[in-house]
Amino acid sequence: MINPYIFRAYDIRGIYKKDIDEDLMFKIGRVLGKKKKLFVVGCDIRKSGASLSKALIKGLFASGAEIIYTGPASFGQALFAGFYYKSYQTLYITASHLPSQWNGLKMYYGNGLPFSEQEIIKLRDKTINIKSVVIAKDVKHYLFKKINAKKIYLEYFLEKFAGLKNNNLKIVVDCGNGAMCLSACEVFRKIGFKVIELNCKVDSKQLDKKGEPSKKNTKQLQQKVKKEKADFGVAFDGDGDRAIIIDNKGGYLTGNETGVILAKNILEKSKNKKIVITVSCSMAFEYELNKLKAKIIRVPVGHTFIIRGCDKHKAILGVEESSHIVFSQYFLFDDAMLTPLKIAEIISEKNKKLTNFLDNLKIWVFEEIRFSCVDDKKFQVIKNLKKVLKAKFKNINYTDGIKINFNNAWILIRVSNTSPIIRLYVEAENKKVFEKTRQKFAKILEKEIKKI
C-alpha cells in the first residue's frame, strides 16, 4: 500500500524503505515520463539517493523519455541543469532538511516552475492506481546521459557576478555536511571570496543534526564569524534551497531581516516594484518597503506559492519567512546560492558592514512555534480551530490556515506541508504583547491537539 500522505502540497517526502522505495520511484517515473521529452534527474547526498534515482530513471525510460542525470548535486546545480538544457521537467530526489532516513522528490518544469498541489494530487492518484510492477521485468536496459552539472553552474555565476571578482570579502561557509558541499565553496572561491569552511565535507548522517540551519544549529558558525572577523557567514540547509545569513558581529538574521535588506536594495534600483511574500512574513515589509512604492503581494506559505506568485505577477523578488528566496531576474527556482551573493553585492556597493543595514530596520518581536501532530489528524485540528476562533475573534484571514490580525500583533496557525507539525507564528510590536499573545494561542492550540 502506498501512503497517500507522502504526496504533500509542495513535494513528496517519507521515510526510506517505509514510505519511499525504489518500486514507488519507478512507478512515479512511469507516470511522469513522456515519449521523447527531456527529463533532468538529480539527487542530494543521502545514501538512498543513487538507488532511488536509478529506479526513477528506469520508470521514465520505460515511458519513452530522454534523461540527463546530474548524479549527486546541490539543489541549484540540478535545477540549473534543467534550466540550461531546457528540460521538460527537472526531478530532484531529496528530503531537504529532514533527517537522513527520509527521502522524497521535488518536481519542477524546466523553466523553474514547481508542480502545484493539484498536479501532485493527480500524480498521487495515478501512482496509487498503477498496476504492481517489477522493475527488472519492465526495463532490463535503460539509457541516460550523465553531465557535469558543476561546470555549467559555476560558469553561470562567474558571468552573472563578475562585479564581485576579487572582492576581498571574507566569509565563513557552513554547508551542514549537505548537498551544498558540492558547489558553494568552489563558487565563492572562483569569484574571489576568502572562504573559511565549516562542515563542508559530505556526510549524510550529519543531516540529522545540521540539515536545518536554525539559530541553535548555527552557534558554531556564529562564533567562527566573530573569531575570524569575517564580513558575514552563511549556512545552507540539507539540499541548498535555503540560506541563513550571519552578520559580521555573529548575529543570526531571520528570513524576514534578510528579505527586507535584499528587497530594499533591489527596489531602490528597479522599475519593477512588485514583490511576493507569504502570509507568515513580518509587518516590517510593509513598513520598510512602502517608502519605496513597493507593490506587495501576499500568498500562502511555501516555496511553490512564492515561485508561482513571482511568475504570475512578474515580480522581481519573492520571500518566504523560512528563508526561501526567489530572485526572478536570474531564474524562478529558489537556489540558496543567490542569497549570500546578493548580500555580498550590497556590502561591496555600499561599502558598509552588514550590521549597518540592520541599525535602522524596524523589527517586531517574532517567533515560530512548532507543535507535533500526526499527518492524518493535523488538518482536522485546523478545521476544529476555525470554528472555535471564528466565534471569539474578528479580522480572520483564511488564505493559509488561520491568521488573526490585531492592532499591535498578529498570529497565524497552519499545518506544515512537509512534516507532521502544526505551526504557530506570532508577531507583536513589543515583548509584553508578544508573550501575552503567544501564551494565549499556544494554550488554545495545545488544547485542540489533545482532543484529537
Side-chain angles (χ1 to χ4, degrees):
M1 293 289 291
I2 294 173
N3 178 2
Y5 290 103
I6 66 172
F7 292 84
R8 303 171 187 269
Y10 318 138
D11 54 26
I12 299 168
R13 294 189 197 187
I15 296 174
Y16 180 57
K17 290 299 184 184
K18 179 185 177 185
D19 305 308
I20 303 275
D21 61 16
E22 287 73 13
D23 184 61
L24 174 65
M25 280 295 171
F26 179 76
K27 289 177 180 178
I28 290 171
R30 287 296 300 268
V31 173
L32 290 177
K34 289 187 182 295
K35 194 171 183 179
K36 294 186 178 180
K37 292 286 188 180
L38 177 63
F39 288 76
V40 170
V41 175
C43 62
D44 69 15
I45 52 89
R46 295 164 198 270
K47 289 186 176 179
S48 57
S51 179
L52 291 173
S53 295
K54 183 178 178 180
L56 179 63
I57 289 170
K58 283 185 175 183
L60 292 168
F61 184 74
S63 293
E66 297 176 3
I67 302 114
I68 288 176
Y69 180 47
T70 68
S74 68
F75 170 81
Q77 283 176 329
L79 268 291
F80 182 76
F83 177 75
Y84 181 87
Y85 288 105
K86 296 181 173 60
S87 68
Y88 175 65
Q89 288 176 12
T90 303
L91 308 174
Y92 185 65
I93 292 175
T94 182
S96 189
H97 61 280
L98 294 179
S100 56
Q101 69 267 30
W102 286 71
N103 218 325
L105 184 66
K106 290 183 177 180
M107 297 145 293
Y108 288 73
Y109 291 97
N111 64 353
L113 206 64
F115 275 34
S116 67
E117 184 176 6
Q118 292 73 27
E119 287 172 314
I120 293 173
I121 289 170
K122 285 182 182 178
L123 172 61
R124 177 198 67 191
D125 294 343
K126 287 181 179 179
T127 303
I128 288 173
N129 291 326
I130 199 171
K131 291 181 180 179
S132 181
V133 293
V134 178
I135 297 174
K137 288 184 179 179
D138 280 72
V139 186
K140 291 181 180 178
H141 305 287
Y142 61 104
L143 299 173
F144 64 89
K145 178 183 178 182
K146 190 166 185 178
I147 53 103
N148 186 347
K150 182 185 289 190
K151 183 176 181 292
I152 57 173
Y153 184 73
L154 176 61
E155 288 173 350
Y156 179 83
F157 284 108
L158 288 175
E159 177 192 345
K160 295 296 182 181
F161 290 90
L164 284 173
K165 191 70 176 173
N166 302 318
N167 58 77
N168 294 318
L169 291 176
K170 184 195 287 189
I171 62 170
V172 184
V173 181
D174 187 347
C175 292
N177 302 112
M180 286 301 273
C181 296
L182 304 173
S183 61
C185 291
E186 184 176 4
V187 171
F188 286 127
R189 284 200 174 97
K190 290 285 186 182
I191 289 175
F193 292 84
K194 182 179 179 182
V195 177
I196 299 163
E197 296 185 11
L198 274 182
N199 309 309
C200 289
K201 291 185 179 179
V202 168
D203 184 350
S204 61
K205 291 181 181 178
Q206 292 301 317
L207 290 174
D208 299 3
K209 301 176 183 177
K210 300 171 184 172
E212 174 61 46
S214 63
K215 193 170 186 177
K216 178 183 176 182
N217 290 346
T218 56
K219 287 291 184 186
Q220 183 188 16
L221 173 60
Q222 295 166 45
Q223 292 166 3
K224 192 72 170 175
V225 169
K226 287 192 289 185
K227 182 181 178 181
E228 297 289 343
K229 294 183 171 57
D231 291 286
F232 68 93
V234 58
F236 297 104
D237 74 334
D239 61 354
D241 60 4
R242 288 185 296 132
I244 295 297
I245 301 297
I246 306 298
D247 69 32
N248 50 290
K249 292 183 180 179
Y252 181 99
L253 270 64
T254 65
N256 286 318
E257 291 169 321
T258 301
V260 170
I261 291 171
L262 291 166
K264 286 179 74 173
N265 179 263
I266 289 170
L267 291 180
E268 281 174 1
K269 303 175 187 176
S270 175
K271 291 181 181 179
N272 183 347
K273 301 297 182 181
K274 295 179 183 178
I275 77 160
V276 174
I277 62 175
T278 62
V279 293
S280 63
C281 280
S282 173
M283 296 180 283
F285 281 90
E286 279 83 2
Y287 183 87
E288 295 287 347
L289 302 184
N290 283 344
K291 305 168 190 176
L292 297 170
K293 298 181 180 179
K295 182 176 180 181
I296 298 172
I297 301 146
R298 285 193 179 256
V299 296
V301 176
H303 70 278
T304 296
F305 299 107
I306 287 291
I307 295 171
R308 287 183 166 270
C310 284
D311 182 56
K312 178 182 177 181
H313 299 286
K314 307 304 177 192
I316 193 166
L317 184 71
V319 180
E320 186 181 34
E321 174 271 328
S322 65
S323 295
H324 282 282
I325 301 180
V326 175
F327 301 88
S328 52
Q329 70 214 75
Y330 300 100
F331 34 65
L332 282 172
F333 54 90
D334 43 339
D335 181 7
M337 194 71 221
L338 284 167
T339 297
L341 289 174
K342 297 301 288 185
I343 289 291
E345 275 191 341
I346 295 169
I347 293 171
S348 297
E349 289 172 5
K350 304 284 188 181
N351 196 26
K352 291 181 179 180
K353 298 291 185 182
L354 183 51
T355 46
N356 294 149
F357 296 95
L358 295 165
D359 290 341
N360 298 314
L361 202 65
K362 174 68 175 176
I363 300 297
W364 279 262
V365 186
F366 176 89
E367 188 178 350
E368 174 200 324
I369 308 105
R370 303 180 182 189
F371 297 81
S372 295
C373 187
V374 292
D375 283 325
D376 60 350
K377 292 182 179 179
K378 63 188 183 183
F379 293 98
Q380 186 60 47
V381 171
I382 297 297
K383 187 176 180 180
N384 294 346
L385 266 173
K386 284 181 178 179
K387 295 178 182 177
V388 171
L389 297 176
K390 187 177 181 180
K392 295 181 179 180
F393 301 98
K394 297 179 179 180
N395 201 3
I396 300 180
N397 185 306
Y398 300 111
T399 298
D400 183 8
I402 308 163
K403 185 172 184 179
I404 306 176
N405 291 296
F406 305 99
N407 290 333
N408 52 5
W410 60 266
I411 66 99
L412 170 66
I413 301 173
R414 57 177 294 276
V415 299
S416 166
N417 285 304
T418 59
S419 309
I421 288 170
I422 295 177
R423 303 178 195 269
L424 167 63
Y425 305 80
V426 183
E427 186 177 46
E429 65 179 7
N430 59 57
K431 288 185 179 180
K432 184 178 179 181
V433 174
F434 170 82
E435 273 303 320
K436 184 179 178 180
T437 307
R438 184 188 66 80
Q439 290 177 17
K440 180 176 184 176
F441 285 94
K443 187 176 180 180
I444 292 172
L445 179 53
E446 284 174 339
K447 182 178 178 181
E448 291 303 318
I449 290 173
K450 286 178 181 177
K451 285 182 181 178
I452 295 292

